[in-house]
Amino acid sequence: TMPPKLVAHTGMDALTHAIEAYVSTLHTVFTDPLALKAIHIVEKDLLRSFNGDMGCREEMHYGQCLAGMAFSNGLLGITHSLAHKIGAVFHIPHGCANAILLPYVIQFNKKSCMSRYADLARIAGLPGHTDPQLVLSYEDAIRHLDRMMDIPLSLAAYGIPEKLYLEKKDSIAHNAVLDACTPENPRPVDDETMGRILECAYYGKPVNF
């Protein structure tokens, strides 16, 4: 059997795959249904899989495969760019890094693709009358998933020492900009902006720029 922590991290990686594929600049009429079905399965089954339901565990296998099909064709975004570089330097498991970063990246990206994130909130039945309200609900829903599976909500809360973060932040931001996942992100990003997103994710501050 998979340890619950591995279920949580791999499940959140699958969710990040699907969400990033859905808002990628390269999303298509073919990738969107794959991403949406994957997101639906993860939202429906991940917590129950985490709590040991083997039927939901099987569904999560289908969900992660669909998410893989979506991002293999539509590609990803800067949640993955940052997670790749943070994992290499801070040794945070990849899915855990994605889970921590995802709400911050949605806050940053929503200026460029608000309606697509709002679509995801509507499909999930989350509260909100306007697109901005719906996207806030979606950010909260992801944080709720993290909390329910004991995933920290910031890099500081994960236990990364501030001294190490300050020492490495500029090189992580620079290398994340160069990552293969960055060009398809819905909102353009440079070293300075990537560094500011990383700072928010470290200290748990909202991304409001």
Side-chain angles (χ1 to χ4, degrees):
T1 57
M2 285 173 68
K5 185 176 282 191
L6 188 60
V7 175
H9 293 174
T10 54
M12 290 304 292
D13 189 31
L15 181 63
T16 308
H17 287 156
I19 292 173
E20 294 216 295
Y22 187 69
V23 301
S24 160
T25 58
L26 295 182
H27 76 84
T28 69
V29 69
F30 297 101
T31 61
D32 282 354
L34 295 166
L36 289 172
K37 184 63 176 177
I39 290 164
H40 172 71
I41 290 172
V42 175
E43 289 170 350
K44 175 172 63 76
D45 292 304
L46 177 53
L47 276 182
R48 287 183 290 181
S49 173
F50 176 75
N51 289 318
D53 184 313
M54 287 297 119
C56 293
R57 185 82 42 93
E58 181 180 345
E59 288 293 309
M60 283 298 300
H61 284 287
Y62 302 140
Q64 68 84 20
C65 184
L66 291 166
M69 292 163 72
F71 90 78
S72 294
N73 293 280
L75 303 186
L76 293 164
I78 61 169
T79 312
H80 270 82
S81 304
L82 278 167
H84 291 152
K85 309 316 171 190
I86 285 168
V89 175
F90 297 148
H91 309 298
I92 300 179
H94 177 66
C96 183
N98 276 328
I100 293 168
L101 292 163
L102 186 57
Y104 301 99
V105 172
I106 291 174
Q107 287 177 341
F108 174 74
N109 278 342
K110 65 186 178 184
K111 288 190 176 180
S112 294
C113 57
M114 181 81 74
S115 64
R116 289 186 76 77
Y117 288 129
D119 286 345
L120 299 181
R122 280 191 196 92
I123 292 165
L126 296 174
H129 297 293
T130 65
D131 282 3
Q133 289 170 349
L134 285 160
V135 178
L136 283 174
S137 288
Y138 202 66
E139 293 165 27
D140 287 342
I142 292 166
R143 288 193 197 93
H144 176 70
L145 261 182
D146 285 346
R147 283 192 200 97
M148 294 295 286
M149 298 186 294
D150 301 317
I151 295 173
L153 300 183
S154 70
L155 297 171
Y158 182 87
I160 305 302
E162 186 176 37
K163 182 173 182 292
L164 180 63
Y165 156 72
L166 292 171
E167 184 185 311
K168 301 292 187 181
K169 66 183 178 77
D170 289 345
S171 63
I172 288 172
H174 176 69
N175 288 327
V177 170
L178 300 177
D179 189 90
C181 296
T182 299
E184 300 78 44
N185 194 68
R187 187 176 171 194
V189 65
D190 57 18
D191 283 26
E192 185 202 356
T193 316
M194 193 76 90
R196 291 170 72 190
I197 297 166
L198 179 59
E199 181 184 347
C200 291
Y202 182 81
Y203 293 107
K205 302 189 300 186
V207 178
N208 53 16
F209 50 86

